[in-house]
Each structure stands twice: as structure tokens, then as C-alpha cells.
Amino acid sequence: MRTQVAIIGGGPSGLLLSQLLHRIGVEAVVLERQTRDHVLSRIRAGVLEKGMMDLLRQAGVDDRARREGLPHDGVVLSYDDDRVRIDFAEHIDQPVTVYGQTEVTRDLYDAAEARGTTVLHEVSDVELHDLDEDTPYVTFMHDGQEKRIDCDFVAGCDGFHGVSRKSIPDDVRRDYEKIYPFGWLGLLSETPPVHDELIYANSGRGFALCSMRSPHLSRYYVQCRLDDRAEDWSDEAFWAELKRRIPSEFAEKLVTGPSIEKSIAPLRSFVTEPMRWGRLFLCGDAAHIVPPTGAKGLNSAASDVHYLFEGLSQWYRDSDAEGVDRYSERALDRVWKVERFSWWMTSLLHRFPDQTDFDLKMQRAELLYLRDTPAAQEALALNYVGLPY
Ligand code: FAS
Ligand code: PHB
């Protein structure tokens, strides 16, 4: 088999890139190790930056997101019963859109099917070859047979546990990592959200987040221990803990109900450099991970896809390598700013096991400074709604 771009991974990064390339007549094949249903069963991100919405429009896949997505002009941060609303409209007049990653991925899969772009599911043993040559190729197992795809480029969109990052030689690649001493226990419930905007809460018992997917579907998180298991938490225990962590005004009106999904995500900051080696380009979680506190994971995958798509377009349209040659530098410049914001939000809003009384005073002072300082609110708003590409 031959194609122009072999894409490893059928998550949001790989699917979005394949649909953008299709729009300009560049052929791509997506190799995904799971079934479509398995990919769609994952409950992950919930907030889309304008840049992501614009890319979905560019890919011709934004209809449902614009119809069903919820534009949000602000977000609430609280510290026990103190709180501040960050008003996006006041500072930058650019909303975010609350629309689940699951729905983004579903829309991308539907577009791939409607347009006949190739997504091979349940592949295994994917290996990347001759990446430092002009004629790279990919081998893999599919339907019980060994297959080979010859291509011009390989896009490594296969997430943190994929094969692509590890295909860059150890003496070329440098990894940067910070592991946080807690996780997030997430719960999805068919209940009305407790507030019409997201609430990020820092309390004496730890962090909590009140989010949503629609006016009838809520998504909540509480900071939990690394050795916690989702099955250790009854719904009642989750709701009781959430109520203790959010401001009492909201706790009193929280509508609880049975969980339809409950899972724990570990938190880490991670970046690999470079994001390009020869004809291989890493995108999204394959290259970097952020703690979800800044709602940046999916959105920074989107900015990678933007830079890579621009570079590939330049290559195929103008036979100009400038965009692909500068991909890693451009993508990493924004990635590190997003890593900083996600680390800062996580440090501001969580309780750490080794925190001293002085550390707690610093956290509280940071939140009160935010509450009382428009310039600080503007800085947070700029990062939350999305830095420019
Ligand atoms: P993905 O991991 O989504 O997709 C990679 C795909 O590659 C997967 O479908 C995988 O099956 C496939 N793959 C892996 N290895 C392969 C191989 N060898 N061959 C073929 N295919 C292979 N972000 C937020 O903004 N907010 C959140 O609340 C949030 N919560 C998260 C919770 C969890 C548990 C996780 C893991 C991530 C969360 N994220 C969140 C981040 C998440 O949204 C990612 O940023 C987003 O999925 C990135 O998309 P991709 O880069 O496509 O990677
Ligand atoms: C979510 O709705 O899942 C969500 C929203 C904002 C975050 C993290 C997760 O920062």
C-alpha cells in the first residue's frame, strides 16, 4: 500500500489531521489499534479553545460542535468560600466552547466515513522504518496479515503510550517530566450542572472541578490519592466529598444522581524534544502531556495539528520544506507556554501532601491577588481561552 501521510493513532489528533489533509487532496491512512467504539468510550476533555473550533471548521467538521457546544464567557475559581470569576468577555472577548472530546472524535469519525478516508482499526505491531530516509514506511498486522505502507511522511498521533515517540533514537530525544502526587477522580452524571460556568475549587480537603457536557449532563472531578481506585468510591462518597470542596452556595443546590461513568486519571507534565525526526512528526499526547487543570490537553494537540498541517500544505502545494523544517520549533514554543499555564493552575488549585503553612498562605494570596487584580485576571483569561497559534 502507498499513501502520502501515514498517521499512527485514530484519536482527535490523527483524525483531525487526516480530515484537514483530505480537504486539500493529500492522501492519508490512519492506523488505530483499538476499535472505533473503544476510542469513543473514553471520557476526556470538555473545553475547546477558539483555535480548535476554527480547525474543526477548516476540516468541515464543526456543524454539531457549533450547534450543540456551549459558549462560555467566564470561569469561577474558589478558595474555600472566597471566589473570583474570570470574565473572558471583559478581557479578550473570545469564548471557549464546552463540547466533549468524545463528540469531537465522533464527528471526525463520521466525516472520515462519509468522505471515504481510510481508518484501519484493530491494527497491531506497528513499526516505523527508515524515518531518516526520504522513503519511510510502516509495517503492522491487520486482519491477521502483515501489511506495509510506503509514504512520504509519518504523523505520530498515537498518544503517550504509542510507538512513535519511542521511534526517535534515545540519543536524539530528550524527555522532561513532572509527576503530581495525586490524581483526578471523574464522574459523569445525567444531572443538571450545579452552575452555568465551570468552577475550579481549592479547599482544605483538596481540589474539585464542576464541569458539564450539556444542560442535562454534568462532569465532576475531585482530587484523589494516587493509590485510590474508582471502584473504592461509591457515588454517595463522591457527592459528599464534592459538596465539602465547593463553595457552600453551590453545594446547597448540587443535584446528585447515579454515575454513568467513573474513572481516575493520573496527573503529569511531560514534553519530549524534538517533535520531529526525519520524516516523523509527533502530535498531541505522543509528544506532550499536561495536567487537565488548564483544559489544555486536547487543545494543544490541536495546535500541533495546525502547525503540521500548515507545513505539509506548504510541502505539497509549493514543494517548500520551510513549514515542516520549522514544525518542531514552532509547536514546542507554544507547548511550553501551555505546560507552564497547566502547571501553574495545578499548583494554585491543588493541596500537596508536603505543603507547609507558608505554602498555603501563598496559594491563598495568589487567589486573592487574582480576585483583586484585573491584570492578573486578564493574564489567566488569555491563557485559558487559548494562546494564538
Ligand atoms: P489520544 O491518546 O487521544 O489518541 C491516541 C490514539 O492512538 C488512541 O486512540 C490509541 O488507541 C492509538 N494508539 C496508541 N498506540 C498505538 C499504536 N501503537 N498503533 C496504533 N494506534 C495506537 N485533556 C483536557 O483538555 N481535559 C481533560 O479533562 C482531559 N482528561 C483526560 C483524561 C485522561 C484519562 C487522559 C488519558 C487524557 C485526558 N486529557 C484531557 C487529555 C486528552 O484529551 C488528550 O490531550 C487527547 O486525547 C490528545 O489526543 P491525541 O493526541 O489524539 O491522543
Ligand atoms: C471536563 O469537562 O472534562 C474538563 C473541563 C475543564 C478542565 C478539565 C476537564 O480543566
Side-chain angles (χ1 to χ4, degrees):
M1 192 189 298
R2 172 156 181 79
T3 191
Q4 289 170 295
V5 183
I7 298 175
I8 318 300
S13 298
L15 292 170
L16 179 54
L17 179 61
S18 78
Q19 292 312 304
L20 287 165
L21 291 170
H22 176 78
R23 300 281 277 189
I24 61 167
V26 173
E27 269 185 27
V29 172
V30 178
L31 301 180
E32 167 54 50
R33 72 176 167 191
Q34 304 288 358
T35 64
R36 170 178 168 151
D37 287 348
H38 181 100
V39 175
L40 291 174
S41 68
R42 298 174 187 140
I43 306 293
R44 288 189 177 168
V47 173
L48 306 187
E49 295 175 356
K50 179 177 180 299
M52 174 83 180
M53 292 295 285
D54 291 348
L55 274 175
L56 289 174
R57 180 199 297 267
Q58 199 177 346
V61 190
D62 66 328
D63 283 352
R64 198 160 70 100
R66 291 196 191 278
R67 214 174 40 247
E68 298 177 14
L70 305 171
H72 277 210
D73 285 323
V75 68
V76 174
L77 275 61
S78 68
Y79 192 97
D80 294 327
D81 271 336
D82 280 324
R83 66 176 195 274
V84 54
R85 177 176 184 267
I86 306 297
D87 184 338
F88 304 147
E90 179 189 335
H91 298 292
I92 30 233
D93 199 18
Q94 182 178 311
V96 293
T97 303
V98 171
Y99 187 70
Q101 173 175 326
T102 308
E103 304 319 311
V104 171
T105 311
R106 192 190 313 283
D107 296 341
L108 286 163
Y109 267 125
D110 290 348
E113 210 163 288
R115 296 168 182 169
T117 49
T118 309
V119 181
L120 300 181
H121 282 282
E122 297 183 274
V123 306
S124 60
D125 304 319
V126 171
E127 285 186 40
L128 314 183
H129 306 272
D130 291 354
L131 295 170
D132 53 349
E133 306 288 338
D134 294 349
T135 52
Y137 65 95
V138 180
T139 55
F140 57 100
M141 293 299 290
H142 188 239
D143 289 343
Q145 292 182 323
E146 173 145 353
K147 305 269 177 79
R148 166 175 169 148
I149 297 181
D150 291 276
C151 52
D152 300 332
F153 298 104
V154 179
C157 301
D158 46 351
F160 187 68
H161 301 290
V163 64
S164 297
R165 183 175 70 251
K166 299 160 195 159
S167 301
I168 298 180
D170 290 344
D171 62 353
V172 170
R173 204 182 76 229
R174 176 148 185 212
D175 295 344
Y176 302 82
E177 184 167 54
K178 177 181 182 60
I179 306 280
Y180 296 88
F182 39 71
W184 278 21
L185 169 62
L187 179 145
L188 194 65
S189 60
E190 287 173 339
T191 54
V194 70
H195 188 45
D196 55 4
E197 292 182 330
L198 273 61
I199 303 169
Y200 289 82
N202 179 336
S203 81
R205 298 177 67 90
F207 169 79
L209 169 60
C210 302
S211 183
M212 63 197 76
R213 292 291 179 272
S214 78
H216 317 290
L217 195 59
S218 295
R219 179 70 171 164
Y220 294 107
Y221 298 91
V222 294
Q223 172 185 346
C224 65
R225 295 161 46 95
L226 278 176
D227 57 5
D228 269 356
R229 295 176 309 157
E231 53 270 30
D232 296 338
W233 282 78
S234 68
D235 289 1
E236 294 67 30
F238 180 93
W239 292 121
E241 193 56 39
L242 180 66
K243 283 181 180 175
R244 292 188 194 103
R245 297 189 186 189
I246 60 178
S248 45
E249 168 199 353
F250 297 115
E252 285 153 17
K253 58 183 182 178
L254 179 71
V255 176
T256 65
S259 60
I260 54 178
E261 190 269 355
K262 218 169 3 186
S263 55
I264 289 181
L267 271 63
R268 81 173 74 229
S269 298
F270 177 88
V271 180
T272 205
E273 291 186 353
M275 288 176 58
R276 181 244 180 128
W277 188 65
R279 290 299 179 106
L280 170 65
F281 298 87
L282 303 181
C283 269
D285 279 18
H288 44 76
I289 298 285
V290 284
T293 326
K296 293 295 158 228
L298 177 58
N299 291 299
S300 51
S303 60
D304 293 347
V305 169
H306 164 78
Y307 293 122
L308 182 53
F309 174 63
E310 292 301 308
L312 292 172
S313 304
Q314 210 175 344
W315 172 276
Y316 284 111
R317 188 185 54 235
D318 314 326
S319 304
D320 180 348
E322 188 262 349
V324 291
D325 288 345
R326 291 194 59 205
Y327 167 73
S328 183
E329 166 208 343
R330 281 176 174 155
L332 282 167
D333 179 69
R334 189 178 188 277
V335 160
W336 278 113
K337 292 170 187 168
V338 164
E339 290 286 337
R340 181 209 67 82
F341 177 66
S342 304
W343 160 80
W344 178 76
M345 285 281 276
T346 304
S347 309
L348 174 66
L349 293 163
H350 290 73
R351 293 299 167 100
F352 291 69
D354 58 352
Q355 253 173 333
T356 65
D357 289 346
F358 179 80
D359 295 334
L360 290 171
K361 282 290 187 186
M362 285 300 97
Q363 264 189 345
R364 184 179 184 79
E366 185 85 49
L367 271 140
L368 295 181
Y369 172 69
L370 261 176
R371 184 194 65 187
D372 304 337
T373 317
Q377 293 172 24
E378 179 173 358
L380 194 157
L382 274 170
N383 282 276
Y384 194 90
V385 302
L387 296 174
Y389 287 176

